[in-house]
């Protein structure tokens, strides 16, 4: 069973009075196996944000199915969604989404605090992760005291600390300079090699080229996919 299975996914936006319809996702089908690193590429308006929102259960599809470990996520009750997201998914955003009023450590702890974990347990999870990500010295600093690359590493720690089955990354390099972009892409590769499944949406060819597989989306559907330099996959 794949980790993620997306079948006949459609999303149509209808204006308030039903006069206009936008077919943002027309028919999306793909699967992601556990341990994969997949990029989804497409131009502005292709449907990337819509797809990510639907996969993140932030928005409901019009029809179709999304199975995470065999569980249908498009029909989870509203009251259970945030716990579901916290338990199963990690999010990395273009603009980091860190809270400037919390220091970095408290930002990383946030999903655990919401799950009622004890300080000592959180600290035990944080220390090796912060070391691995090279941010141990930044834990008492606030996000606004950090560079973009540092903030993104803090955000990755926040995503990883719950040990999610799947990381959903939305243009994670979009706000970074070229050096931080390179570092972040190497970091994603390392995290993936350690077993973490990653699905990254991007319009950056450079970012996508680090993934093991790239899905191309256009007019709301996947129209092509390529595997990164692995001849055994050909034919
Ligand atoms: P991308 O992220 O690839 O730029 P989007 O998913 O944002 O693409 O948009 C896909 C299409 O759906 C576009 O035509 C966009 O204008 C439209 N769209 C996105 N969100 C909404 C919305 N909330 N209401 C109406 N149309 C939307
Ligand atoms: P991105 O560059 O990330 O794809 P967009 O500029 O396409 O962002 O969209 C920004 C936000 O506005 C998204 O959350 C998207 O859902 C929403 N959006 C996009 N197009 C429309 C639209 N036509 N009507 C309403 N909301 C839209």
């Amino acid at each position: 069973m794949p980790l993620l299975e997306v079948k006949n996914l459609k999303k149509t936006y209808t204006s308030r009075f039903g006069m206009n319809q936008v077919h943002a996702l027309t028919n999306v089908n793909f699967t992601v196996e556990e341990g994969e690193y997949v990029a989804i590429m497409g131009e502005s308006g292709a449907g990337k944000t819509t797809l990510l929102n639907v996969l993140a259960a932030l928005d409901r599809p019009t029809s179709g199915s999304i199975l995470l470990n065999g569980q249908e996520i498009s029909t989870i009750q509203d009251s259970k969604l945030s716990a579901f997201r916290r338990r199963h998914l990690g999010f990395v955003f273009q603009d980091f989404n860190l809270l400037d009023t919390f220091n970095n450590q408290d930002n990383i702890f946030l999903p655990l605090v919401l799950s009622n974990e004890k300080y000592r347990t959180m600290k035990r999870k944080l220390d090796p992760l912060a070391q691995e990500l090279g941010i141990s010295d930044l834990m008492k600093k606030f996000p606004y005291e950090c560079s973009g690359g540092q903030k993104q590493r803090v955000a990755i720690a926040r995503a990883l600390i719950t040990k999610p089955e799947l990381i959903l990354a939305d243009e994670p390099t979009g706000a970074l300079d070229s050096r931080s972009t390179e570092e972040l892409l190497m970091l994603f590769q390392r995290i993936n090699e350690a077993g973490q499944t990653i699905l990254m949406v991007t319009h950056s060819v450079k970012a996508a080229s680090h993934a093991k597989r790239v899905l191309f989306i256009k007019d709301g559907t996947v129209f092509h996919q390529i595997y990164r330099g692995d001849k055994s996959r050909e034919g």
Side-chain angles (χ1 to χ4, degrees):
M1 179 172 71
L3 177 69
L4 179 71
E5 185 167 15
V6 176
K7 282 192 285 194
N8 305 325
L9 197 65
K10 295 186 173 68
K11 176 70 184 180
T12 302
Y13 294 106
T14 305
S15 66
R16 193 186 301 257
F17 303 110
M19 304 289 280
N20 291 299
Q21 290 200 325
V22 178
H23 299 285
L25 300 177
T26 52
N27 189 23
V28 179
N29 292 280
F30 67 93
T31 58
V32 176
E33 299 294 331
E34 193 181 334
E36 270 203 293
Y37 180 4
V38 177
I40 295 181
M41 275 204 84
E43 293 183 351
S44 190
K48 303 185 298 296
T49 304
T50 302
L51 177 61
L52 212 55
N53 286 345
V54 169
L55 293 179
L58 293 165
D59 198 0
R60 306 263 184 200
T62 305
S63 63
S65 162
I66 305 163
L67 299 171
L68 186 71
N69 269 327
Q71 185 190 1
E72 178 61 59
I73 69 168
S74 60
T75 55
I76 296 173
Q77 278 175 273
D78 284 347
S79 60
K80 297 193 170 146
L81 279 178
S82 54
F84 169 83
R85 275 187 220 109
R86 224 162 44 231
R87 193 160 308 142
H88 299 282
L89 302 173
F91 295 96
V92 178
F93 304 91
Q94 172 167 358
D95 50 6
F96 323 121
N97 276 23
L98 298 171
L99 299 170
D100 266 334
T101 51
F102 289 1
N103 70 26
N104 288 330
Q105 174 170 295
D106 288 329
N107 268 284
I108 297 169
F109 281 167
L110 197 59
L112 300 180
V113 171
L114 294 170
S115 300
N116 299 311
E117 290 207 20
K118 290 199 186 76
Y119 180 81
R120 216 186 325 150
T121 316
M122 299 196 293
K123 197 81 171 91
R124 186 156 35 82
K125 291 178 178 177
L126 174 69
D127 288 343
L129 185 59
Q131 206 162 6
E132 167 72 20
L133 295 173
I135 54 173
S136 302
D137 296 343
L138 302 176
M139 289 302 94
K140 301 296 173 200
K141 289 199 170 183
F142 286 80
Y144 58 80
E145 299 177 290
C146 298
S147 71
Q150 291 174 330
K151 280 191 273 200
Q152 197 57 299
R153 279 183 279 150
V154 170
I156 290 169
R158 181 187 52 191
L160 289 174
I161 201 157
T162 57
K163 297 197 186 299
E165 280 125 285
L166 177 65
I167 292 276
L168 293 174
D170 188 2
E171 296 284 2
T173 63
L176 303 179
D177 61 33
S178 60
R179 187 164 145 239
S180 300
T181 291
E182 199 57 50
E183 284 171 5
L184 181 111
L185 293 171
M186 298 306 288
L187 185 58
F188 264 32
Q189 245 173 280
R190 248 174 43 219
I191 292 167
N192 172 248
E193 278 157 16
Q196 177 66 55
T197 314
I198 302 174
L199 183 62
M200 170 176 70
V201 163
T202 184
H203 59 241
S204 157
V205 176
K206 186 176 185 189
S209 72
H210 282 69
K212 289 183 189 157
R213 179 156 65 104
V214 187
L215 302 176
F216 293 86
I217 177 172
K218 187 179 178 182
D219 299 331
T221 194
V222 175
F223 71 99
H224 189 60
Q225 67 169 321
I226 56 177
Y227 288 89
R228 169 161 161 249
D230 179 357
K231 292 210 181 288
S232 65
R233 301 261 196 180
E234 281 174 14

